[in-house]
């Protein structure tokens, strides 16, 4: 994934949405002449994602980025994108919104970590423990039973 070390050149806001729309279009092409095998689409989408630095403004943009990396068969990139932007995005939210977003991000990380080949067991355990902690902090808000069922798979 492209680094966001220089946030002045990172895509964000409407420009990031437009860029992610372009990547989604690679998967959504219904033109018979331009139809490609899934693996070819994945390669093209992954190359497109890796070309630019991205700085999601909110959880919705982060979800889109995560989903596109996941669709591209790149769980390590999906995991890295959530971990890279989590602290900044959570810091922009109210306390109540932070709890919901923290659970969502923790679940995305647990889901991606499960599919990262060669992920060190201690890193995987840390991701799952972070998810458990997020659900504990969530308390009775939302749907903790659904979250626990999800975590039971890990």
């Amino acid at each position: 994934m492209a680094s966001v070390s220089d946030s002045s050149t990172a895509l964000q806001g409407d420009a990031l949405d437009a860029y992610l729309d372009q990547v989604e279009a690679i998967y959504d092409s219904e033109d018979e002449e331009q139809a490609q095998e899934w693996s070819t689409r994945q390669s093209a989408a992954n190359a497109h994602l890796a070309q630019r630095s991205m700085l999601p403004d909110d959880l919705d943009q982060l979800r889109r980025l995560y989903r596109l990396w996941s669709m591209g068969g790149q769980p390590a990139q999906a995991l890295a994108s959530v971990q890279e932007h989590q602290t900044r995005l959570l810091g922009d939210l109210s306390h109540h919104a932070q709890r919901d977003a923290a659970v969502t991000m923790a679940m995305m990380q647990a889901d991606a970590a499960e599919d990262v080949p060669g992920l060190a067991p201690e890193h995987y355990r840390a991701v799952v423990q972070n998810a458990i902690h997020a659900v504990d902090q969530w308390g009775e808000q939302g749907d903790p039973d659904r979250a626990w069922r999800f975590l039971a798979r890990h």
Side-chain angles (χ1 to χ4, degrees), residues 3-19:
S3 169
V4 294
S5 57
D6 182 5
S7 61
S8 67
T9 61
L11 289 174
Q12 52 191 8
D14 291 340
L16 178 55
D17 279 328
Y19 196 75

Side-chain angles (χ1 to χ4, degrees), residues 66-132:
Y66 166 85
R67 184 177 60 81
L68 289 168
W69 278 122
S70 296
M71 287 174 65
Q74 299 296 317
Q77 296 295 65
L79 176 61
S81 66
V82 176
Q83 291 175 334
E84 181 176 4
H85 301 292
Q86 180 171 341
T87 301
R88 178 182 50 80
L89 291 175
L90 288 176
D92 293 342
L93 300 172
S94 70
H95 178 69
H96 179 73
Q98 279 181 355
R99 288 186 308 194
D100 290 344
V103 169
T104 298
M105 289 184 208
M107 296 303 171
M108 289 190 297
Q109 290 177 65
D111 198 44
E114 183 176 28
D115 296 326
V116 175
L119 184 66
E122 59 274 6
H123 189 172
Y124 180 73
R125 276 192 297 279
V127 167
V128 172
Q129 296 233 318
N130 179 51
I132 291 169

Side-chain angles (χ1 to χ4, degrees), residues 23-96:
V23 177
E24 287 173 343
I26 293 169
Y27 289 112
D28 295 339
S29 175
E30 293 182 19
D31 183 349
E32 289 293 324
E33 291 182 24
Q34 292 183 350
Q36 301 171 336
E37 293 293 322
W38 185 254
S39 62
T40 303
R41 290 182 190 203
Q42 285 178 308
S43 295
N46 291 340
H48 207 65
L49 287 172
Q51 287 177 355
R52 298 294 304 265
S53 297
M54 293 175 241
L55 195 61
D57 289 338
D58 55 32
L59 183 56
D60 289 336
Q61 285 184 334
L62 181 59
R63 272 192 198 115
R64 288 182 73 195
L65 182 58
Y66 166 85
R67 184 177 60 81
L68 289 168
W69 278 122
S70 296
M71 287 174 65
Q74 299 296 317
Q77 296 295 65
L79 176 61
S81 66
V82 176
Q83 291 175 334
E84 181 176 4
H85 301 292
Q86 180 171 341
T87 301
R88 178 182 50 80
L89 291 175
L90 288 176
D92 293 342
L93 300 172
S94 70
H95 178 69
H96 179 73

